[in-house]
Amino acid sequence: MFLLHKAKFLNTCFYGCLVLLCLLGTQQAAANTPDAYKGRSFWLGYLQSEMGKDKFELSLHVTSSVNATITVKLAGVSADSRGEKDWVQTFQVNAGGVTDIIIPEEYTFKSKEGKSTNKGLYIEADADVMIVAKNSSGASSDATVVIPIKSLGSEYYIMHYAAVKRGYPSQYLVMATEDSTVVELRNTDKNSDKQPTNQTYTIKLNKGEYHIVQSEKDLTGSYIKEVNGKKLAVFGGNTCAYVPRYCQSCDHLFEQLLPVQNWGHQFATVPFDTREKYVVRIMAKENNTWVDVDGERKEITKAGKFIELELKEPVYITSSHNIMVCQYTIGSRCDNQRGDPSYVVLKPLLGYSGETILPTMKTEHINRYYVTVLFKMNDIDKLTVNGKSVVGNYKLLPYTSQYGYAHIELTESNNNIECDCNYNFLSYGFGWYESYAY
C-alpha cells in the first residue's frame, strides 16, 4: 500500500512539474513572440537630449494595420491656460497609415527639475498599434520602438554608451506602471543619485512617475529590479555621444531597453546601408557566458559585463546563455558619410511578422531613409517591402546561408514590410551630422 501511494505521489509530482514547466515555457515564449512589439497600452518617458539653444522636438509616430483610435495622456502638463493637470488628446490612425503626434515641449525632462518627475506619458488604443517615439533637438535625434505594457518586465540591465564630456551625460530612465512600485538600483559608476558604485539602493515610484540617473561615465551594466515583480518601462541613452569614442561626432542616443526575460541567444547584425562600419555591444545575463561571433568564441565572465566590437560585415551571434545585443551607427567623421551616432537594441531572431508599417522622420538635416530586413532564406518568396519582392536584391549572411538580408531605400511616406513569416528589421534615417534608428 505504501509503495502504491508513493508511486501515485511521484506520478502526480511529475505531471504537476511538467505542467508548470510548460506554463513557464509558454510565458517565456510569449515575451518574444512576433507580436510582442504591437499592443494597446504603453508607458513612455523621454530622456534629456543635447542641451543647446535649439528647441526640443518630441513626437510619436503611430501605425496600425487596422483603423484605430488612440488616447495620449501626459501627466503633469497643463491642458490649457486654465492650468488643468493633464494634457489629454485623442487621435485617429488609419489602416496602413502613420499618425504623427507632436508632444508639448514642456514635457521634456531637464536636469534642473531634479531626478524624479511625474511626466509619464500614457498611450491607449482600441486596436493593436506600433509606436515609434522620436526625441530631437537641433541636429541631434534618435528614435525607439515603444514596448507595450504586455511585453515589459521587472528586471533590466542598462546598455547605452560612454559619456562624451562634462554636461553631456550618459543616462537611464525608470518608469513605474503601477502605484507603490519599489525599485532596486545598482550603478556601475559615479552617478547623479550620489550612490556608491555597485551598491544597491531603493527608490519608490507611483504609476506614471519616472526617475532619471545620469553620469559623466558609462553606466552600462547597471542593474534594475522591481522587488515585487511589478512591470517597469526602462529607457537608456546619452544626451550626446561619440561612437566609437575616438570618433568625435556627437549625437543623441535614445532607446527603450528589453527586460531580461526578452533577451535571447541567437542574433544577426547587418551593416547600415551607406556606412563603412558599425559598433556592437553584447552583454551577458549569466556569469561565464560564451558568445560565438561567426564561430569565433569569446567569453563574458560576469553578468552585466559586455564586449564591444567594431564591424564592417554582417555577423551571426549565438551564446550559451541569454544576451542583449545593441547596434550603433558611427559618427560621420569616421567615414565621411551622412549620419551620426544612434542605437538600437536588437530583437532576437526573429522578432516581427505579418505587416510592419515604417514611419520615416524628416528633420532639417535628415532626408535619406532606409530599412534593412533580415529573414530566413526559406521565406524569401513571401517577403515584400513596399509591395516589391526582395528576390534579386538580397545577400546571404557570410557565416550561415540560412539567413539573408536586403537594404532598401525608403520614401518619405507609405513604407511597409509584409510577410507571412518572421523577420527582423532596422529602420533608420541619415542626414549630415544627424541620424535616427529603430
Side-chain angles (χ1 to χ4, degrees):
M1 180 67 73
F2 171 75
L3 292 176
L4 180 60
H5 284 301
K6 183 177 181 181
K8 288 182 177 179
F9 173 77
L10 291 173
N11 192 49
T12 301
C13 287
F14 171 78
Y15 284 106
C17 291
L18 184 62
V19 169
L20 179 59
L21 288 171
C22 289
L23 288 172
L24 289 173
T26 300
Q27 291 173 347
Q28 178 73 8
N32 283 317
T33 53
D35 63 351
Y37 309 104
K38 299 174 184 177
R40 301 190 179 196
S41 55
F42 307 78
W43 279 104
L44 169 64
Y46 283 96
L47 294 171
Q48 179 183 325
S49 63
E50 184 178 3
M51 297 297 290
K53 297 180 180 179
D54 297 296
K55 291 185 63 176
F56 296 98
E57 297 177 3
L58 310 179
S59 58
L60 301 177
H61 308 268
V62 188
T63 70
S64 180
S65 296
V66 299
N67 292 332
T69 301
I70 65 167
T71 300
V72 180
K73 178 179 179 180
L74 306 181
V77 176
S78 296
D80 54 31
S81 58
R82 294 174 297 176
E84 293 182 9
K85 183 178 179 181
D86 299 325
W87 184 89
V88 182
Q89 298 287 327
T90 299
F91 302 89
Q92 300 299 316
V93 182
N94 295 326
V98 179
T99 296
D100 301 317
I101 301 168
I102 303 300
I103 303 302
E105 186 180 344
E106 57 263 39
Y107 180 72
T108 305
F109 177 84
K110 298 179 178 65
S111 57
K112 65 183 180 181
E113 294 176 327
K115 296 173 291 188
S116 297
T117 178
N118 66 339
K119 287 185 177 180
L121 189 158
Y122 180 69
I123 307 113
E124 190 171 43
D126 64 358
D128 282 353
V129 298
M130 187 179 87
I131 299 175
V132 178
K134 182 171 73 73
N135 192 357
S136 180
S137 175
S140 186
S141 298
D142 204 3
T144 181
V145 172
V146 185
I147 301 172
I149 293 175
K150 67 178 184 180
S151 300
L152 298 177
S154 60
E155 185 181 9
Y156 293 81
Y157 281 94
I158 297 303
M159 180 90 85
H160 46 208
Y161 213 73
V164 171
K165 55 186 177 181
R166 188 176 183 87
Y168 293 88
S170 64
Q171 55 190 333
Y172 67 84
L173 179 157
V174 183
M175 175 174 286
T177 65
E178 299 181 46
D179 287 335
S180 303
T181 292
V182 181
V183 186
E184 292 180 344
L185 304 177
R186 186 177 70 238
N187 296 310
T188 56
D189 216 318
K190 294 180 180 180
N191 55 83
S192 56
D193 282 352
K194 296 181 172 54
Q195 295 292 329
T197 299
N198 294 320
Q199 295 293 315
T200 299
Y201 62 101
T202 300
I203 61 171
K204 295 181 180 180
L205 300 169
N206 286 321
K207 182 167 66 173
E209 293 179 340
Y210 64 72
H211 184 84
I212 284 185
V213 180
Q214 297 183 320
S215 176
E216 294 177 8
K217 304 293 184 178
D218 187 349
L219 291 177
T220 292
S222 297
Y223 180 70
I224 299 167
K225 184 178 181 179
E226 207 290 324
V227 299
N228 298 306
K230 295 179 180 180
K231 291 184 175 182
L232 304 170
V234 178
F235 299 80
N238 297 62
T239 52
C240 206
Y242 296 158
V243 182
R245 293 188 67 178
Y246 60 81
C247 187
Q248 297 186 2
S249 299
C250 184
D251 209 348
H252 181 50
L253 300 183
F254 174 52
E255 182 74 1
Q256 184 162 9
L257 301 177
L258 296 178
V260 294
Q261 78 265 16
N262 290 21
W263 294 14
H265 59 85
Q266 186 183 28
F267 295 83
T269 67
V270 178
F272 296 95
D273 201 9
T274 75
R275 305 310 301 274
E276 184 177 291
K277 61 182 178 179
Y278 61 103
V279 170
V280 168
R281 282 186 167 189
I282 303 170
M283 179 180 290
K285 179 179 177 289
E286 307 286 348
N287 294 339
N288 302 315
T289 295
W290 58 255
V291 178
D292 279 354
V293 180
D294 275 359
E296 180 181 345
R297 181 152 296 188
K298 305 175 185 296
E299 186 176 14
I300 306 175
T301 57
K302 292 185 179 181
K305 297 297 184 181
F306 68 94
I307 56 176
E308 182 172 328
L309 306 171
E310 291 184 29
L311 302 168
K312 291 187 175 182
E313 301 295 334
V315 296
Y316 179 65
I317 301 169
T318 58
S319 60
S320 58
H321 302 290
N322 281 358
I323 55 176
M324 174 166 58
V325 180
C326 290
Q327 183 170 336
Y328 302 74
T329 61
I330 63 173
S332 58
R333 291 189 182 183
C334 279
D335 63 358
N336 198 33
Q337 297 292 326
R338 287 183 174 89
D340 268 347
S342 56
Y343 88 123
V344 178
V345 178
L346 298 185
K347 312 306 185 280
L349 295 175
L350 292 161
Y352 294 87
S353 70
E355 182 184 29
T356 299
I357 300 155
L358 304 171
T360 56
M361 285 157 274
K362 185 176 182 179
T363 70
E364 181 181 351
H365 302 278
I366 297 174
N367 55 12
R368 301 291 291 273
Y369 316 98
Y370 306 89
V371 66
T372 299
V373 188
L374 181 71
F375 48 87
K376 284 187 175 181
M377 286 304 298
N378 290 342
D379 295 323
I380 189 170
D381 291 330
K382 305 175 186 176
L383 189 141
T384 62
V385 177
N386 292 339
K388 296 180 180 179
S389 172
V390 299
V391 174
N393 183 31
Y394 73 91
K395 295 180 181 179
L396 294 174
L397 286 187
Y399 188 74
T400 171
S401 60
Q402 183 181 359
Y403 293 95
Y405 68 95
H407 295 306
I408 296 97
E409 187 165 3
L410 302 176
T411 64
E412 283 191 17
S413 60
N414 300 322
N415 299 285
N416 74 333
I417 304 169
E418 286 191 276
C419 191
D420 184 19
C421 67
N422 296 340
Y423 54 88
N424 276 8
F425 73 87
L426 290 174
S427 182
Y428 44 100
F430 292 147
W432 288 113
Y433 317 117
E434 188 178 8
S435 65
Y436 70 80
Y438 65 85

